[in-house]
Amino acid sequence: DQQVKQNSPSLSVQEGRISILNCDYTNSMFDYFLWYKKYPAEGPTFLISISSIKDKNEDGRFTVFLNKSAKHLSLHIVPSQPGDSAVYFCAASGDNYGQNFVFGPGTRLSVLP
Amino acid sequence: DSGVTQTPKHLITATGQRVTLRCSPRSGDLSVYWYQQSLDQGLQFLIQYYNGEERAKGNILERFSAQQFPDLHSELNLSSLELGDSALYFCASTPNGRGELFFGEGSRLTVL
């Protein structure tokens, strides 16, 4: 049973436009969410996080939105750049989940020049 | 550079063999996690250690074991290897088991 879902395996966006990556979760005990970016042959790198007490967190071109009632979060990248082409993982954690992080399957973003 | 070091980067071995993957966490980080990524799949949590003690266990096979040593480095032992164990194995660390995970570059295991 996948507790963190990323239903779009891939996404293509034109350079300069907005990229929107979506993530859904099923466990209401999750209270902390993170996005990671992964390039080929490298480990995932942290991008941005959000706590369940917030509904939005912004860092430069990256904004994460959290809708707790829908158990949904999204990552917006504006404007998208070719260097953003990577696999993006959504991850969730919660105190009642043993300080564990559960990752989604990832979405491969391609930003076309 | 995340500060997490994993060795070896690549490993090729045969079925039935045993290998050990090593991880040195970031300086000062007490918590170490191991994840497995198979063929473009997501990151599957294997096991977590905190200051030498096992803290959480995921979908780790009985043929796999891990430990965290007093100097906080960790080793993941994989035995009786099967073709399906071919994967990228990532180690990650955090200061206290919450917050951002810092990942190493991974160890790519190929079982022939």
Side-chain angles (χ1 to χ4, degrees):
Chain A
D1 177 31
Q2 257 190 349
Q3 296 193 63
V4 178
K5 304 176 185 181
Q6 294 176 257
N7 292 323
S8 298
S10 62
L11 174 70
S12 291
V13 170
Q14 210 67 35
E15 180 179 4
R17 307 294 291 268
I18 183 171
S19 295
I20 300 176
L21 296 98
N22 293 305
C23 176
D24 297 288
Y25 61 96
T26 57
N27 191 337
S28 58
M29 302 308 290
F30 289 142
D31 63 2
Y32 187 62
F33 305 89
L34 309 92
W35 283 94
Y36 281 82
K37 178 168 73 172
K38 185 182 180 304
Y39 293 119
E42 293 184 12
T45 55
F46 171 75
L47 204 53
I48 193 169
S49 65
I50 188 166
S51 164
S52 61
I53 61 173
K54 294 186 174 182
D55 54 18
K56 177 182 172 182
N57 189 24
E58 197 170 345
D59 184 2
R61 297 185 297 115
F62 302 92
T63 303
V64 56
F65 295 91
L66 175 63
N67 182 333
K68 281 177 294 189
S69 60
K71 294 193 181 69
H72 176 84
L73 61 155
S74 60
L75 174 67
H76 294 211
I77 306 174
V78 183
S80 300
Q81 299 173 354
D84 296 329
S85 297
V87 177
Y88 289 78
F89 292 100
C90 170
S93 177
D95 275 335
N96 289 347
Y97 205 67
Q99 302 177 343
N100 191 358
F101 292 85
V102 181
F103 282 78
T107 296
R108 183 178 300 278
L109 173 67
S110 299
V111 180
L112 309 172
Chain B
D1 181 7
S2 67
V4 178
T5 304
Q6 289 188 248
T7 57
K9 284 190 169 31
H10 301 276
L11 190 55
I12 301 174
T13 188
T15 54
Q17 296 298 304
R18 172 190 168 96
V19 298
T20 297
L21 309 179
R22 182 188 168 101
C23 169
S24 294
R26 290 188 325 153
S27 177
D29 283 0
L30 299 178
S31 193
V32 168
Y33 297 73
W34 286 97
Y35 285 85
Q36 179 192 55
Q37 185 186 24
S38 305
L39 280 177
D40 287 334
Q41 292 184 17
L43 294 156
Q44 299 296 319
F45 170 67
L46 295 178
I47 198 163
Q48 178 206 357
Y49 281 84
Y50 180 81
N51 204 18
E53 293 188 3
E54 182 182 304
R55 178 62 66 91
K57 219 169 190 175
N59 298 323
I60 187 166
L61 299 171
E62 285 192 12
R63 299 183 286 108
F64 296 0
S65 65
Q67 56 183 323
Q68 186 179 27
F69 295 86
D71 67 353
L72 300 178
H73 91 271
S74 178
E75 292 181 356
L76 179 67
N77 301 297
L78 315 173
S79 61
S80 303
L81 285 168
E82 303 174 359
L83 296 177
D85 297 328
S86 296
L88 261 172
Y89 291 85
F90 287 104
C91 170
S93 72
T94 70
N96 55 14
R98 283 303 302 272
E100 176 188 343
L101 282 174
F102 294 88
F103 281 86
E105 293 188 345
S107 293
R108 181 174 292 281
L109 173 66
T110 302
V111 182
L112 300 175

